[in-house]
Amino acid sequence: MNFNRRKFLQTTGTLVLSSAVLSGKAASFINLKHPVGVQLFTFFNVMDEDVKGTLTKVAKAGYSEIESAFSKKGGYYGLKPKEFKAMANELGLTWRSHHVLGAPFKLPAGTKMPTTPDGKPMVIPSMMNLQDNMQQLVDEAAEGGVKFLVCANTPTGTPEELKASIAVLNKTGEAATKAGLTFAYHNHDMEFKILSDGTIPYDLLLSDTDPKYVKMELDLAWAVKAGKNPVDLFKQNPGRFPLWHVKDLDASRENIMPVGSGTIDFKPIFAAAKIAGMQSFFVEHDMPKDPFESINSSIRYINKNLNV
């Protein structure tokens, strides 16, 4: 299916991995059991119908951490932050991270609203964003007790947009730190495309945000789609990537697949987790036909091959 989160979240805003032999220190991570998380955007089309039922299936599949995202009901799937946390904890899930928008949602010029798996146009709820509602979003995340607040997307299509977005990210990072949160930025592939002035947005997102306040959540698949090697990014910016998104892609790099069923070689990436500073990773599948089948397939592969 061609629909993906990049298309959903684009606002006014192929990788060949090294086959070098892993050092003993790096390779040791593969032998250390790590909590497996899931990004709840995977369930965008079903979760609001049964929040507790969805989380119950997530826990039953073997996931222990969750990262929340956008809800058709608004807020935290129609719940207050503390209510959502209590529900997750009751099911044995740790609510680790929450996604917010960096700026008001707006479809790019000339594009149409994406369709859901049933072919109907997606209905986008009104959503707060860091540009307009930064302090409220920080306060709510702190109230919910999450460790991380993540900017899911922000305008980076022009030098002017990028400059304004970086200012918002730095401001949010400081506010989040004061509130006891760690703030991070989540990429798609668009941040790696060269702008009119010759700059690459992701380069500036790394260099012009304060590393004390702004970390990165690397979406491994979008980095791969953009022709980047995640391990190189980790080595160039050690410790800057406490969060990862883990999804797979087919050979065309256009279709999202469950982890292990596509073409991305995750083993050298996971072996570099210590270099990255990875603390949590979240399986994600944007708009799958069957999200529960997808997450079960992904965690079986991860536990057998990457996280045993």
Side-chain angles (χ1 to χ4, degrees):
M1 180 169 182
N2 287 330
F3 183 80
N4 57 51
R5 187 185 199 149
R6 173 176 54 87
K7 294 177 182 177
F8 168 67
L9 288 174
Q10 240 176 0
T11 64
T12 45
T14 285
L15 169 73
V16 178
L17 285 172
S18 171
S19 59
V21 176
L22 302 174
S23 70
K25 183 177 181 180
S28 66
F29 174 81
I30 298 180
N31 296 317
L32 296 177
K33 190 71 174 178
H34 192 283
V36 185
V38 66
Q39 163 54 253
L40 298 181
F41 183 73
T42 302
F43 312 98
F44 183 79
N45 287 314
V46 300
M47 183 158 180
D48 287 310
E49 300 171 5
D50 185 359
V51 179
K52 189 171 185 178
T54 299
L55 294 180
T56 298
K57 291 180 181 179
V58 166
K60 186 176 180 180
Y63 292 87
S64 57
E65 296 188 341
I66 55 174
E67 181 178 58
S68 51
F70 315 100
S71 168
K72 297 175 185 177
K73 291 183 176 180
Y76 302 85
Y77 309 98
L79 302 171
K80 298 294 185 181
K82 289 184 178 180
E83 293 173 333
F84 182 72
K85 178 184 180 181
M87 181 182 289
N89 291 168
E90 179 187 346
L91 297 169
L93 296 169
T94 299
W95 184 20
R96 189 75 165 152
S97 178
H98 179 63
H99 267 210
V100 295
L101 289 178
F105 176 81
K106 183 178 179 180
L107 281 173
T111 62
K112 297 181 179 181
M113 186 62 69
T115 57
T116 57
D118 60 6
K120 297 179 180 179
M122 178 177 289
V123 176
I124 305 297
S126 177
M127 293 179 284
M128 291 189 291
N129 63 85
L130 295 175
Q131 179 181 296
D132 300 327
N133 317 101
M134 182 267 291
Q135 194 60 55
Q136 182 177 349
L137 290 171
V138 168
D139 290 344
E140 287 183 353
E143 180 185 341
V146 297
K147 168 68 175 176
F148 295 95
L149 179 68
V150 180
C151 178
N153 177 271
T154 196
T156 60
T158 68
E160 294 76 20
E161 287 179 345
L162 179 60
K163 182 178 179 180
S165 290
I166 287 173
V168 171
L169 295 178
N170 278 322
K171 183 178 179 181
T172 304
E174 291 191 45
T177 300
K178 290 179 181 178
L181 304 169
T182 298
F183 180 61
Y185 179 77
H186 166 271
N187 66 284
H188 296 81
D189 62 326
M190 65 184 183
E191 293 91 343
F192 297 97
K193 296 179 179 178
I194 300 175
L195 301 183
S196 59
D197 64 353
T199 59
I200 297 174
Y202 203 73
D203 290 347
L204 292 187
L205 287 165
L206 283 165
S207 65
D208 290 5
T209 57
D210 191 328
K212 293 185 300 182
Y213 301 122
V214 183
K215 306 300 182 181
M216 296 290 160
E217 178 174 59
L218 191 70
D219 192 301
L220 306 178
W222 293 141
V224 168
K225 180 178 172 63
K228 299 298 179 179
N229 184 335
V231 176
D232 289 342
L233 290 172
F234 301 156
K235 291 178 178 178
Q236 293 159 9
N237 305 273
R240 193 82 187 268
F241 301 89
L243 304 178
W244 299 354
H245 272 191
V246 187
K247 59 168 71 77
D248 218 335
L249 297 172
D250 67 1
S252 73
R253 304 304 195 208
E254 293 297 326
N255 299 299
I256 299 170
M257 306 180 73
V259 181
S261 61
T263 59
I264 298 178
D265 182 1
F266 290 102
K267 290 185 178 180
I269 301 175
F270 271 73
K274 289 183 179 179
I275 299 173
M278 191 271 281
Q279 297 180 35
S280 291
F281 66 89
F282 304 100
V283 169
E284 183 184 45
H285 191 160
D286 311 45
M287 299 296 164
K289 292 182 179 180
D290 186 337
F292 302 107
E293 180 182 344
S294 177
I295 66 164
N296 276 283
S297 175
S298 290
I299 198 169
R300 284 195 299 267
Y301 178 84
I302 290 169
N303 284 336
K304 182 178 179 180
N305 298 280
L306 303 175
N307 198 31
V308 295

